[in-house]
Structure formats: structure tokens, C-alpha cells
Amino acid sequence: MNVSDLAKGVQRGERRALARAITLIESARPDHRAEASALLEALRGGPEALRIGFSGTPGVGKSTFIESFGMMLTGQGLKVAVLAVDPSSTRSGGSILGDKTRMERLSRDPNAFIRPSPSQSHLGGVARRTREAVMLCEAAGFDVVLIETVGVGQSETMVAEMSDLFLLLLAPAGGDELQGVKRGIMEIADIILVNKADGDLKPAATRTCADYTGALRLLRKRVQDPEGFPKAMLVSALQEEGLQAAWGEMQALAEWRKARGHWQARRAAQARHWFEEEVRHGLLARLSEDAAIRAQMADLGASVMAGTLAPGAAAQQLLDVLKKAE
Ligand code: GDP
């Protein structure tokens, strides 16, 4: 199938075309990369989805939440795509569906599309390709794109860089908590959802939610937030409680930002960020393609490790070599 047929299939919302398009953008082959660029270019300016980044450590209930939340949205007539940025999946081969029971109902829903994390050797590569997959899902007419991450390394920041809203899912904590959640994540979260607010866990969930409400108040107010955001809320993914309220807040925040231009500004800044990422990556890739430069980099790296050369000075030497080579 040529690129223009593939683009048409994606635009018609055909799942097979979408799956093939994502496989194409995940390929590292240079001819595939060229086709992927042409495809993304052909699809630019199409419909917009609400891109929701979503993080939480294993066990907090992410798959249960995505399934309940996703089913609620498809029940309202919305089309939902679920993508993942999971650096650990390079080892397990796509952990979003590694466990067969994960999101079983949602994966059978004709209005849902679930795609595991691409297997790449490093997080940057996974994130770049996932961002393009988000754009493909958008072009295919999905209303909501959920981008899940388990929060290893810098994955949360990367996911926030491709999302309109960022959610953090937490489980009820025992005792006086707040530990375990990095401050940086609190700063990028728009809504914290304290899950498992049911049964015996309800009192602990309520306390945890109050603790985070207090902690969020101490953060510096952001211009792109209306009064009351960022906020912490209680949900039960298992009992399907609080999901509609959470969705209401997500929509309210999205509308507020759209009305004031923050939405567009954020997307514009994100586009520049990914442009710079691609350039950075491309430059590094080009360096490693040249055998002489690769050898020189290895030598300089060894000198830096041996302590005979400072990192900054070594980098400067390499950059000088590149300049002369031009
Ligand atoms: P993930 O690792 O973050 O994807 O978490 P899972 O969705 O696999 O859930 C981990 C465990 O928490 C499972 O045993 C779920 O049944 C349980 N769980 C998830 N959501 C809830 C909830 O809302 N309430 C309760 N009580 N348990 C939940």
C-alpha cells in the first residue's frame, strides 16, 4: 500500500490501516522513516483529539481505570485510543498487553483501539514514536487518546510533552504519606486521581486525597489553570465510581484552556520541543554513522572516564572536529 492510500485508510478510521501506519512510524529503516514523514505530512491539519497523559506505578489500578474509564467514554459514543510509553517493555515485549487480562473488555470494543509501547532500545525513541502514534490516532478520528506510562525514568515528563492534560493515578496510602511521589510529577499533574476509594480502603483514600489537596495548594499557581486546579479527586475504577466526575473536570479544564489560548500555546510549544528532539537525535545518529568520528568519540569518552579530560572540553574538541569536517 502506498503512503497516500494508507493516509486515506487512516482518515477513514480503518483500524487495520491505523495499525499498519503505526508499525510504519515505529520502523527504524531509513526508507520507512521517509514514508512515515510523508504519511504524517499528508495527515496534518485533521481532526483534534483530547490527548490525556496518564501515569501511576504498577498496582495502583491503571489498567482497571483505563478499562472502566474507556468503556464509559465509548458508552457515550466517543472513540478512545490507548497508547503506552513504557521503557521497561523493551524487555518484556510490550507490557501493556503482556498480561492477557489487561483491558479485556475495552480491547474488544469496536470504538476502542489499544496499542502497546513500541520496543526501542531507549526511552527517547519510544517517546518520539509514541508521539507520532498519537497524531495518527487523532487523524483516524479518535476523540480521546490516553497515553499511559508507568513512570520509569523521564517517561512522565515525555508523556506530559505530548498531552493536553496530565493525570496521576495513586492508590490510598497508609499513614502520613506524600512520599514516593516525586515533586516534579506533582508539578506537571493537572488532576490527581486517588483510586480504590471503595470498601475498606475508602477512609484511607479519603485521607490521601485530602493530603494531596493540601500539597497541591502549596504549589505555585500556573497561568494555564483556572481556580481550583490542579486538583485531587477520589475514584474507584473497580466500582466505576467518580469516573464521570473526573471526566467532567477534564473537559472543564480543557475548555477553559482552549477559550484562553493556553491549549494552542501548549501544543505549539510541544511541537517545537519535538522538533528540537528530532534534530538532537538526528545529529547524534549522524555522528555515530561516521566511523572516524565514532572512533574519536570513543577515545574522548575514554579520556573523560579516565579523568584526563573534562566532559565539556572533550565535547568542545569533538565539535571542533565536526566544524573542520564541514
Ligand atoms: P496497574 O498495575 O496499575 O495496571 O493495576 P491494575 O489495574 O492491574 O490493578 C492492580 C490491582 O488493584 C488489581 O488487583 C485490581 O483489581 C485492583 N484495583 C484496581 N482498581 C481498583 C479499585 O478501584 N478498587 C479496588 N479495591 N481495587 C482496585
Side-chain angles (χ1 to χ4, degrees), residues 54 56-66 99 101-103 148 150 169 194-201 235-241:
F54 179 73
T57 48
V60 299
K62 283 185 305 304
S63 25
T64 313
F65 177 84
I66 291 175
D99 174 357
T101 59
R102 275 202 105 196
M103 306 174 215
E148 177 195 2
V150 288
L169 197 70
V194 180
N195 190 33
K196 310 195 183 183
D198 51 50
D200 292 349
L201 289 168
V235 292
S236 166
L238 205 59
Q239 306 288 333
E240 302 179 9
E241 282 166 15

Side-chain angles (χ1 to χ4, degrees), residues 94 232 274 287:
W274 291 103
L287 288 184

Side-chain angles (χ1 to χ4, degrees), residues 89-104:
S89 73
T90 49
R91 267 161 284 140
S92 66
S95 68
I96 194 173
L97 289 177
D99 174 357
K100 281 209 177 56
T101 59
R102 275 202 105 196
M103 306 174 215
E104 207 185 320

